[in-house]
Amino acid sequence: PYYLLEWNNNGQLTRLFDKENNREVLKSLGNTLNVFEDKPVNFDAWDIDLFYKLKDSQTPTLTDCTFMEAGALRCVIRFKYTYRKSTIMQDMILYAHSRRIDFVTNIDWHEDHRLLKAGFSVDIRNTKATFDIQCGHVERPTHYNTSWDYARFEVCAHKWADLSDDSYGVSLMNDCKYGYSIYGNEMQITLLKSSKEPD
């Protein structure tokens, strides 16, 4: 009842129209799964260096899309992806009495030095974004105008990240991930980071 949604053959949202506010939410694509090569200079297990963006990302291949539920309370659409030796299963859940859209993602990952992010290109412009931290929130720039801005490309936050303007906003909420990046109107959440697997 809240949205009009469309997606492409890769399972990416091509349209998310908010009926109540008569507004397109997306600028281009939503829920894009992107895999980046991740070889930081130091601290392989947890550090992320900005140069991971210099190489083209890869997109997992959608192998199946199935309507799991279409009831009076909610609708569940299941997407299955493969990437090399790994598989991703994601349920997109829409509710009859809530504006929230859930993406429940289960990943069986067998890759070294890879970073997996989910991205949403939203139709919102602001020079800063807001992130949840313990006992409050923190604001970070959505641009790289200074060396300080450039150094804050990845934000460690807790339950949510928000990009809003004077009239509208979009939040990414989660229950187990802590890495976000928002540059321009592109909101991303880090789903996983894999270092070298032990021999």
Side-chain angles (χ1 to χ4, degrees):
Y2 300 103
Y3 304 108
L4 173 64
L5 295 98
E6 297 174 4
W7 58 86
N8 60 22
N9 291 333
N10 293 321
Q12 302 162 335
L13 289 170
T14 57
R15 187 176 193 199
L16 177 55
F17 181 77
D18 184 336
K19 295 179 181 179
E20 185 178 350
N21 292 287
N22 194 34
R23 179 177 177 132
E24 295 286 353
V25 179
L26 298 176
K27 186 74 172 177
S28 59
L29 297 177
N31 194 40
T32 58
L33 300 177
N34 294 302
V35 182
F36 300 90
E37 184 180 71
D38 177 45
K39 294 184 177 179
V41 176
N42 297 305
F43 313 116
D44 187 30
W46 59 84
D47 206 10
I48 297 176
D49 290 330
L50 185 58
F51 57 73
Y52 80 85
K53 292 185 174 184
L54 297 180
K55 289 190 174 181
D56 290 336
S57 65
Q58 297 172 316
T59 304
T61 302
L62 181 69
T63 58
D64 188 46
C65 176
T66 308
F67 272 91
M68 303 301 291
E69 280 184 50
L73 296 178
R74 70 179 197 168
C75 175
V76 181
I77 306 140
R78 176 165 293 170
F79 300 92
K80 292 182 181 178
Y81 301 89
T82 58
Y83 175 76
R84 295 185 178 181
K85 297 179 287 183
S86 302
T87 58
I88 302 167
M89 186 173 69
Q90 187 178 68
D91 288 349
M92 182 171 68
I93 307 170
L94 300 120
Y95 300 96
H97 304 293
S98 174
R99 294 171 53 80
R100 191 176 83 188
I101 301 173
D102 285 341
F103 295 89
V104 179
T105 308
N106 293 291
I107 304 169
D108 184 18
W109 199 250
H110 301 277
E111 315 301 329
D112 292 340
H113 294 114
R114 290 293 182 269
L115 186 66
L116 175 63
K117 287 178 166 274
F120 296 82
S121 179
V122 295
D123 192 14
I124 297 171
R125 294 187 62 182
N126 199 334
T127 57
K128 61 187 177 187
T130 310
F131 302 86
D132 175 51
I133 59 172
Q134 185 180 19
C135 303
H137 67 272
V138 64
E139 292 180 345
R140 291 288 181 260
T142 60
H143 52 77
Y144 301 153
N145 288 353
T146 69
S147 59
W148 292 359
D149 301 334
Y150 189 81
R152 295 185 286 184
F153 65 93
E154 187 83 7
V155 180
C156 180
H158 287 177
K159 297 177 182 176
W160 52 264
D162 179 84
L163 183 61
S164 297
D165 57 23
D166 292 338
S167 62
Y168 201 80
V170 174
S171 293
L172 297 180
M173 300 182 291
N174 83 91
D175 62 357
C176 62
K177 301 297 177 186
Y178 303 100
Y180 300 90
S181 57
I182 299 179
Y183 180 72
N185 64 341
E186 181 72 22
M187 305 178 73
Q188 291 185 326
I189 183 170
T190 302
L191 299 180
L192 69 79
K193 173 182 168 53
S194 58
S195 57
K196 179 73 172 74
E197 290 186 354
D199 295 328

